[in-house]
Amino acid sequence: MSHIPSPALLEPFAAVPETARPTDPGTPTPARAPTGQRILVVDGDAALAGSLTAQLRRHGHDPVGVRHGSAALQAYQDVELVLLDLDLPDLDGLQVCRAIREVSRVPIIIVTARRSELDCVLGLHAGADDYVTKPYGLRELIARIEAVMRRTRWQPAAAREMDLGRLRIDVDSRQVTVDDRAVPLTRKEFDLLCLLAAQPDTVIPRKQLLQQVWGDSWSRRTIDTHVSSLRGKLGGNGWVVTVRGVGFKLGTG
């Protein structure tokens, strides 16, 4: 069982000296935009990611960087766009992309050194909105960010309430009811239930649940303890179904 050091979580990358920043020659320092995007930069190379976060900040955005895929799975909910490298120290970036896309519509742009057509196709199939290869021109990347955000603004809002028969989940207020009875849940219990409810007919692997809900802080019995507690609060073992050797899926109570 791996353990990612806690400093990896939401630890901003150090600023990189101006001479080390991979920017287009002759690019003037832009005026700070009146409003920017909160952008998650996921890259295992701290120097390159530090350069990118510095450039994004100069363009008026609010970037935050993480080095590990497990940290990205904890941080994506608080940002408006994700820039995701595929070569990470702990997880493959495609796995991270798929895991985020299964539960969120946050825009994802893959930024990677993998240049083949197959890699690009796999990235787009994993749920990425765009695919940029290194080395890249900063102006092109900024333009792609703006284009993805424009498309996103025209998309209808994601459902914030899940109505699953007797079970109802209000994502915004984090309230759960069964047969109109309020069910008080802890933060992790709610996150676990939401992840299962987002794919009610799908068996979600145990490892994916652990990584997305608990990130780097979990033990072998973490998920079993929370599943047991969740079943008790919802009122029956049938709400969370165990698929032996694979994971869990949402039941009907």
Side-chain angles (χ1 to χ4, degrees):
M1 185 181 307
S2 61
H3 178 78
I4 306 303
S6 58
L9 292 172
L10 293 178
E11 178 181 292
F13 291 104
V16 175
E18 189 72 28
T19 55
R21 291 172 178 165
T23 186
D24 296 338
T27 301
T29 301
R32 184 174 180 83
T35 58
Q37 309 299 328
R38 183 161 175 81
I39 299 175
L40 177 64
V41 178
V42 188
D43 198 313
D45 188 322
L48 290 178
S51 171
L52 179 54
T53 56
Q55 292 283 6
L56 291 171
R57 192 168 291 110
R58 292 172 63 213
H59 278 262
H61 296 293
D62 180 19
V64 61
V66 297
R67 296 186 294 274
H68 297 87
S70 56
L73 293 175
Q74 293 288 294
Y76 74 88
Q77 300 179 62
D78 298 321
V79 301
E80 297 167 275
L81 182 136
V82 178
L83 298 178
L84 176 64
D85 190 15
L86 296 182
D87 299 306
L88 303 173
D90 57 340
L91 303 173
D92 184 80
L94 291 175
Q95 180 184 356
V96 175
C97 185
R98 283 191 293 267
I100 293 175
R101 184 55 71 234
E102 285 174 352
V103 295
S104 173
R105 298 177 67 179
V106 63
I108 301 171
I109 300 178
I110 290 176
V111 183
T112 179
R114 301 184 193 178
R115 304 177 62 86
S116 74
E117 179 183 9
L118 177 59
D119 285 322
C120 179
V121 170
L122 290 174
L124 296 175
H125 282 176
D129 296 274
D130 204 349
Y131 192 99
V132 178
T133 58
K134 300 176 182 179
Y136 53 83
L138 180 66
R139 286 175 292 187
E140 178 188 356
L141 180 61
I142 293 295
R144 288 178 180 270
I145 289 173
E146 293 172 351
V148 167
M149 293 308 300
R150 282 197 301 271
R151 293 198 300 269
T152 302
R153 293 188 188 103
W154 283 101
Q155 293 176 357
R160 304 304 295 172
E161 183 171 316
M162 289 181 271
D163 191 340
L164 301 159
R166 298 166 55 207
L167 173 67
R168 291 188 179 183
I169 304 172
D170 189 317
V171 178
D172 289 327
S173 65
R174 299 180 69 86
Q175 293 182 342
V176 175
T177 61
V178 174
D179 295 330
D180 296 323
R181 171 182 63 87
V183 180
L185 299 178
T186 67
R187 184 170 67 88
K188 294 300 186 184
E189 290 168 350
F190 182 87
D191 291 345
L192 175 60
L193 179 62
C194 268
L195 190 54
L196 294 170
Q199 304 168 80
D201 300 317
T202 302
V203 179
I204 302 181
R206 174 185 292 264
K207 184 176 180 181
Q208 180 182 331
L209 289 170
L210 286 167
Q211 289 170 340
Q212 288 193 246
V213 177
W214 286 275
D216 68 329
S217 56
W218 50 273
S219 64
R220 185 177 182 83
R221 292 192 55 80
T222 295
I223 193 167
D224 297 312
T225 300
H226 282 76
V227 165
S228 177
S229 176
L230 190 56
R231 286 168 172 164
K233 291 183 178 181
L234 293 175
N237 292 342
W239 284 113
V240 181
V241 178
T242 301
V243 180
R244 292 188 180 280
V246 184
F248 300 88
K249 64 178 292 186
L250 187 73
T252 57

Coordinates of all heavy atoms in Angstrom, one line a residue, residues 5-43:
P5 N 3.2 11.5 0.7 CA 3.4 12.5 1.7 C 2.4 13.6 1.7 O 2.1 14.1 0.6 CB 4.8 13.0 1.5 CG 5.5 11.9 0.6 CD 4.4 11.3 -0.2
S6 N 1.9 14.0 2.8 CA 0.9 15.1 2.9 C 1.3 16.4 2.2 O 0.4 17.1 1.7 CB 0.5 15.3 4.3 OG 1.6 15.7 5.1
P7 N 2.6 16.8 2.2 CA 2.9 18.0 1.5 C 2.5 18.0 0.0 O 2.5 19.1 -0.6 CB 4.4 18.1 1.7 CG 4.7 17.4 2.9 CD 3.7 16.2 2.9
A8 N 2.3 16.9 -0.6 CA 1.9 16.8 -2.0 C 0.6 17.4 -2.2 O 0.2 17.8 -3.3 CB 1.9 15.4 -2.5
L9 N -0.3 17.5 -1.2 CA -1.6 18.0 -1.3 C -1.6 19.5 -1.4 O -1.3 20.2 -0.4 CB -2.5 17.5 -0.2 CG -2.8 16.0 -0.2 CD1 -3.5 15.6 1.1 CD2 -3.6 15.6 -1.4
L10 N -2.1 20.0 -2.5 CA -2.3 21.4 -2.7 C -1.1 22.2 -2.2 O -1.2 23.3 -1.6 CB -3.5 21.9 -1.9 CG -4.8 21.4 -2.4 CD1 -6.0 21.8 -1.5 CD2 -5.1 21.8 -3.8
E11 N 0.1 21.8 -2.5 CA 1.3 22.5 -2.2 C 1.7 23.3 -3.4 O 2.1 22.7 -4.5 CB 2.5 21.6 -1.8 CG 3.8 22.3 -1.5 CD 4.8 21.3 -1.2 OE1 4.7 20.6 -0.1 OE2 5.8 21.1 -2.0
P12 N 1.6 24.6 -3.4 CA 2.0 25.4 -4.6 C 3.4 25.2 -5.0 O 4.3 25.1 -4.1 CB 1.7 26.9 -4.2 CG 0.8 26.8 -3.0 CD 1.2 25.5 -2.3
F13 N 3.7 25.1 -6.3 CA 5.0 24.9 -6.8 C 5.8 26.2 -6.6 O 5.3 27.3 -6.7 CB 5.1 24.5 -8.2 CG 4.5 23.2 -8.5 CD1 3.3 23.0 -9.0 CD2 5.3 22.1 -8.1 CE1 2.8 21.7 -9.2 CE2 4.8 20.8 -8.4 CZ 3.6 20.6 -8.9
A14 N 7.1 26.1 -6.3 CA 7.9 27.3 -6.1 C 8.1 28.0 -7.4 O 8.1 27.5 -8.5 CB 9.3 26.9 -5.6
A15 N 8.2 29.3 -7.3 CA 8.3 30.1 -8.5 C 9.7 29.8 -9.2 O 10.7 29.5 -8.6 CB 8.3 31.6 -8.2
V16 N 9.7 29.8 -10.5 CA 10.9 29.5 -11.3 C 11.5 30.8 -11.8 O 10.7 31.7 -12.3 CB 10.5 28.6 -12.5 CG1 11.7 28.3 -13.3 CG2 9.9 27.3 -11.9
P17 N 12.8 31.0 -11.8 CA 13.4 32.2 -12.3 C 13.0 32.5 -13.7 O 12.7 31.5 -14.5 CB 14.9 31.8 -12.3 CG 15.0 30.8 -11.2 CD 13.8 30.0 -11.3
E18 N 12.9 33.7 -14.1 CA 12.4 34.2 -15.4 C 13.1 33.5 -16.5 O 12.5 33.1 -17.5 CB 12.5 35.7 -15.5 CG 11.9 36.3 -16.7 CD 10.4 36.3 -16.6 OE1 9.9 36.3 -15.5 OE2 9.7 36.2 -17.6
T19 N 14.4 33.3 -16.4 CA 15.2 32.7 -17.4 C 14.9 31.2 -17.7 O 15.2 30.7 -18.7 CB 16.7 32.8 -17.1 OG1 17.0 32.2 -15.9 CG2 17.2 34.2 -17.1
A20 N 14.3 30.6 -16.7 CA 13.9 29.2 -16.8 C 12.5 28.9 -17.3 O 12.1 27.8 -17.5 CB 14.1 28.5 -15.5
R21 N 11.8 30.0 -17.5 CA 10.4 29.8 -17.9 C 10.2 29.5 -19.4 O 10.8 30.3 -20.2 CB 9.5 31.0 -17.5 CG 9.4 31.2 -16.0 CD 8.8 32.5 -15.7 NE 8.6 32.6 -14.2 CZ 8.4 33.7 -13.6 NH1 8.3 34.9 -14.3 NH2 8.3 33.7 -12.3
P22 N 9.5 28.4 -19.8 CA 9.4 28.1 -21.2 C 8.3 29.0 -21.9 O 7.2 28.5 -22.2 CB 9.0 26.6 -21.2 CG 8.2 26.5 -19.9 CD 8.9 27.4 -19.0
T23 N 8.6 30.2 -22.2 CA 7.6 31.0 -22.8 C 8.1 31.4 -24.2 O 9.2 31.1 -24.7 CB 7.5 32.4 -22.0 OG1 6.4 33.1 -22.6 CG2 8.8 33.2 -22.1
D24 N 7.2 31.9 -25.0 CA 7.5 32.2 -26.4 C 8.4 33.4 -26.5 O 8.2 34.4 -25.7 CB 6.2 32.6 -27.2 CG 5.2 31.4 -27.3 OD1 5.7 30.3 -27.1 OD2 4.0 31.6 -27.4
P25 N 9.4 33.4 -27.3 CA 10.3 34.5 -27.4 C 9.6 35.8 -27.8 O 8.7 35.8 -28.7 CB 11.3 34.1 -28.5 CG 11.2 32.6 -28.6 CD 9.8 32.3 -28.2
G26 N 9.9 36.8 -27.1 CA 9.3 38.1 -27.4 C 7.9 38.3 -26.9 O 7.3 39.3 -27.2
T27 N 7.4 37.4 -26.1 CA 6.0 37.5 -25.6 C 6.0 38.6 -24.5 O 6.7 38.5 -23.5 CB 5.5 36.2 -25.0 OG1 5.5 35.2 -26.0 CG2 4.1 36.4 -24.5
P28 N 5.3 39.7 -24.6 CA 5.3 40.7 -23.6 C 4.5 40.2 -22.4 O 3.7 39.3 -22.5 CB 4.5 41.9 -24.3 CG 3.6 41.2 -25.3 CD 4.4 40.0 -25.8
T29 N 4.8 40.8 -21.2 CA 4.1 40.5 -20.0 C 2.6 41.0 -20.1 O 2.4 42.2 -20.3 CB 4.7 41.2 -18.8 OG1 6.1 40.7 -18.7 CG2 4.0 40.8 -17.5
P30 N 1.6 40.2 -20.1 CA 0.3 40.6 -20.3 C -0.3 41.3 -19.1 O 0.2 41.1 -18.0 CB -0.5 39.3 -20.5 CG 0.3 38.3 -19.7 CD 1.7 38.7 -19.8
A31 N -1.3 42.2 -19.4 CA -2.0 42.9 -18.3 C -2.8 41.8 -17.6 O -3.3 40.9 -18.2 CB -2.8 44.0 -18.9
R32 N -2.9 42.0 -16.3 CA -3.7 41.0 -15.5 C -5.2 41.1 -15.9 O -5.8 42.1 -15.9 CB -3.5 41.3 -14.0 CG -4.2 40.2 -13.2 CD -3.9 40.5 -11.7 NE -4.6 39.5 -10.9 CZ -4.1 38.3 -10.6 NH1 -3.0 37.9 -11.2 NH2 -4.8 37.4 -9.9
A33 N -5.7 39.9 -16.2 CA -7.1 39.9 -16.6 C -8.0 40.2 -15.4 O -7.7 40.0 -14.3 CB -7.5 38.4 -17.1
P34 N -9.2 40.9 -15.7 CA -10.0 41.3 -14.6 C -10.5 40.1 -13.8 O -10.7 40.2 -12.6 CB -11.2 42.0 -15.3 CG -11.1 41.6 -16.7 CD -9.7 41.3 -17.0
T35 N -10.8 39.0 -14.5 CA -11.2 37.8 -13.8 C -10.5 36.6 -14.4 O -10.5 36.5 -15.7 CB -12.7 37.6 -13.8 OG1 -13.1 37.5 -15.2 CG2 -13.5 38.7 -13.1
G36 N -9.9 35.7 -13.6 CA -9.3 34.5 -14.2 C -9.9 33.3 -13.7 O -10.8 33.3 -12.9
Q37 N -9.4 32.2 -14.1 CA -9.9 30.9 -13.7 C -9.0 30.3 -12.6 O -7.8 30.5 -12.6 CB -9.9 29.9 -14.9 CG -10.5 30.4 -16.2 CD -12.0 30.8 -16.0 OE1 -12.7 30.1 -15.2 NE2 -12.5 31.8 -16.7
R38 N -9.6 29.5 -11.7 CA -8.8 28.8 -10.8 C -8.5 27.4 -11.4 O -9.3 26.6 -11.8 CB -9.7 28.5 -9.5 CG -8.9 27.7 -8.4 CD -9.5 27.9 -7.1 NE -8.8 27.1 -6.0 CZ -7.7 27.5 -5.4 NH1 -7.1 28.6 -5.8 NH2 -7.1 26.7 -4.5
I39 N -7.2 27.2 -11.7 CA -6.7 26.1 -12.5 C -5.8 25.2 -11.7 O -4.9 25.7 -11.0 CB -5.9 26.7 -13.7 CG1 -6.8 27.5 -14.6 CG2 -5.3 25.5 -14.5 CD1 -6.1 28.2 -15.7
L40 N -6.1 23.9 -11.7 CA -5.3 22.9 -11.1 C -4.3 22.4 -12.1 O -4.6 21.9 -13.1 CB -6.2 21.8 -10.6 CG -5.4 20.6 -9.9 CD1 -4.7 21.0 -8.7 CD2 -6.4 19.4 -9.7
V41 N -3.0 22.6 -11.7 CA -1.9 22.1 -12.6 C -1.4 20.8 -11.9 O -0.9 20.8 -10.8 CB -0.7 23.1 -12.7 CG1 0.4 22.5 -13.5 CG2 -1.3 24.4 -13.3
V42 N -1.5 19.7 -12.7 CA -1.1 18.3 -12.2 C 0.1 17.9 -13.0 O 0.0 17.5 -14.1 CB -2.2 17.3 -12.3 CG1 -1.8 16.0 -11.6 CG2 -3.5 17.9 -11.7
D43 N 1.3 17.9 -12.4 CA 2.5 17.6 -13.1 C 3.5 17.1 -12.1 O 3.8 17.7 -11.1 CB 3.0 18.8 -13.8 CG 4.0 18.4 -14.9 OD1 4.9 17.6 -14.7 OD2 3.9 18.9 -16.1

